[in-house]
């Protein structure tokens, strides 16, 4: 592309999927108010679909817009977080601190089948059955985190915790593989993001607790977001990327060591 056409929308792939995952987490608090915390998790996509939209397909002037639907979408997610922080306020009933850290998030998606839902003069007419793998997308997001973390006892044995992180630097790498066209597209870029988490826990004993919480992650590219179409000479096609993941979780926790 050239600068005059770099921001014209040509193609867009949108994946909508649900996932289930399990994770281990932990936190170490030191007498110096320094803390270390983190988690690691793996999961699989439990369902979803993908829309592949194209505008003004080259060489086919009669196709101004095309939209195909692929269903189902299968795949996996993997993630890990590590934070190092300091509690500026810490007492028996509360603590509040700031941290810096690192987050790794990987998602692999495979879209099956293809049905044209917009223009019968375009692709996937007749429809491709849902047993056929048509497109895969393998993405990795690596982020630097800065944020705040806090806990407070809001009632006897009832604790509320929250974690807010801004991602000032996010690095994205992806591979978009159109298997039926033998087209492999390398994608990369840098950007920013946001990660939020809150949990309400009940202390069954002084050491053991159970809780329910919510989590929201969003990462997107803002600079150097480009895609290399099958090794074509650059300047490459600009291609912003974005991912969002949100949901609820249940957890059980056990505290080791002396209580405050």
């Amino acid at each position: 592309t050239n600068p005059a056409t770099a921001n014209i929308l040509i193609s867009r792939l949108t994946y909508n999927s649900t996932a289930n995952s399990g994770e281990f987490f932990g936190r170490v608090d030191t007498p110096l108010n320094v803390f270390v915390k983190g988690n690691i998790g793996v999961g699989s996509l439990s369902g979803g679909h993908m829309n592949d939209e194209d505008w003004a397909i080259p060489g086919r002037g009669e196709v101004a817009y095309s939209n195909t639907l692929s269903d189902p979408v299968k795949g996996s997610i993997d993630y890990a977080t590590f934070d190092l922080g300091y509690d500026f306020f810490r007492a028996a009933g509360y603590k509040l601190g700031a941290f810096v850290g690192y987050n790794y998030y990987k998602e692999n998606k495979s879209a099956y089948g293809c049905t044209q839902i917009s223009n019968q003069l375009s692709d996937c007419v007749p429809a491709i059955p849902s047993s056929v793998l048509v497109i895969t997308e393998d993405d990795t997001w690596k982020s630097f985190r800065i944020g705040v973390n806090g806990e407070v006892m809001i009632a006897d044995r009832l604790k509320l915790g929250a974690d807010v992180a801004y991602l000032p630097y996010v690095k994205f790498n992806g591979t978009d593989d159109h298997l039926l066209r033998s087209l492999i597209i390398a994608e990369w870029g840098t950007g920013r993001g946001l990660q939020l988490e809150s949990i309400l826990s009940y202390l069954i004993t002084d050491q053991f607790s159970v809780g329910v919480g919510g989590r929201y992650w969003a990462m997107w590219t803002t600079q150097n977001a480009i895609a290399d179409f099958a090794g074509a000479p650059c300047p490459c096609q600009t291609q912003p990327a974005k991912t969002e993941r949100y949901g609820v979780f249940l957890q059980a926790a056990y505290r080791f060591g002396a209580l405050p």
Side-chain angles (χ1 to χ4, degrees):
T1 63
N2 59 55
T5 61
N7 294 319
I8 296 176
L9 187 58
I10 297 175
S11 179
R12 177 172 61 195
L13 274 65
T14 304
Y15 290 84
N16 289 284
S17 62
T18 57
N20 297 311
S21 66
E23 71 178 55
F24 290 98
F25 67 97
R27 173 171 172 144
V28 177
D29 292 289
T30 72
L32 300 176
N33 280 19
V34 175
F35 65 85
V36 177
K37 65 183 182 72
N39 61 33
I40 182 170
V42 296
S44 61
L45 302 186
S46 56
H49 65 270
M50 186 273 288
N51 286 90
D52 185 353
E53 300 172 274
D54 294 291
W55 287 263
I57 299 176
R60 298 170 68 178
E62 72 277 8
V63 181
Y65 175 71
S66 171
N67 188 350
T68 62
L69 174 68
S70 295
D71 189 356
V73 168
K74 303 177 183 180
S76 62
I77 60 172
D78 305 277
Y79 57 92
T81 304
F82 175 82
D83 296 321
L84 175 65
Y86 181 84
D87 282 327
F88 293 96
F89 305 97
R90 184 188 289 183
Y94 64 88
K95 56 186 171 186
L96 178 65
F99 62 83
V100 296
Y102 171 83
N103 175 257
Y104 170 90
Y105 176 61
K106 182 176 180 63
E107 52 184 8
N108 298 324
K109 301 179 289 289
S110 298
Y112 290 79
C114 184
T115 302
Q116 178 62 232
I117 60 175
S118 175
N119 192 328
Q120 294 304 304
L121 298 177
S122 189
D123 300 323
C124 298
V125 179
I128 298 173
S130 60
S131 59
V132 178
L133 177 61
V134 295
I135 296 179
T136 64
E137 179 79 26
D138 300 327
D139 297 336
T140 301
W141 302 78
K142 301 176 182 179
S143 309
F144 172 69
R145 291 164 38 100
I146 56 174
V148 294
N149 172 270
E151 295 179 353
V152 60
M153 299 297 298
I154 58 176
D156 183 33
R157 297 196 173 276
L158 196 61
K159 178 174 64 177
L160 179 65
D163 195 281
V164 178
Y166 171 62
L167 313 181
Y169 178 79
V170 174
K171 183 177 181 180
F172 164 75
N173 289 97
T175 301
D176 178 17
D177 189 351
H178 294 246
L179 286 85
L180 301 186
R181 293 194 290 165
S182 299
L183 175 62
I184 299 177
I185 304 171
E187 309 158 323
W188 63 92
T190 58
R192 295 189 291 270
L194 180 69
Q195 295 180 330
L196 309 175
E197 182 177 313
S198 182
I199 181 168
L200 184 65
S201 301
Y202 180 76
L203 280 69
I204 297 177
T205 69
D206 289 340
Q207 275 79 29
F208 181 70
S209 66
V210 294
V212 58
R215 179 181 291 165
Y216 173 78
W217 287 359
M219 291 164 280
W220 58 90
T221 56
T222 57
Q223 299 179 18
N224 303 320
I226 57 179
D228 185 353
F229 281 80
C234 289
C236 305
Q237 175 67 46
T238 58
Q239 185 180 12
K242 181 175 73 171
T243 185
E244 289 182 286
R245 182 66 64 183
Y246 58 88
V248 298
F249 62 90
L250 303 174
Q251 79 169 35
Y254 187 85
R255 180 186 178 113
F256 298 90
L259 296 174

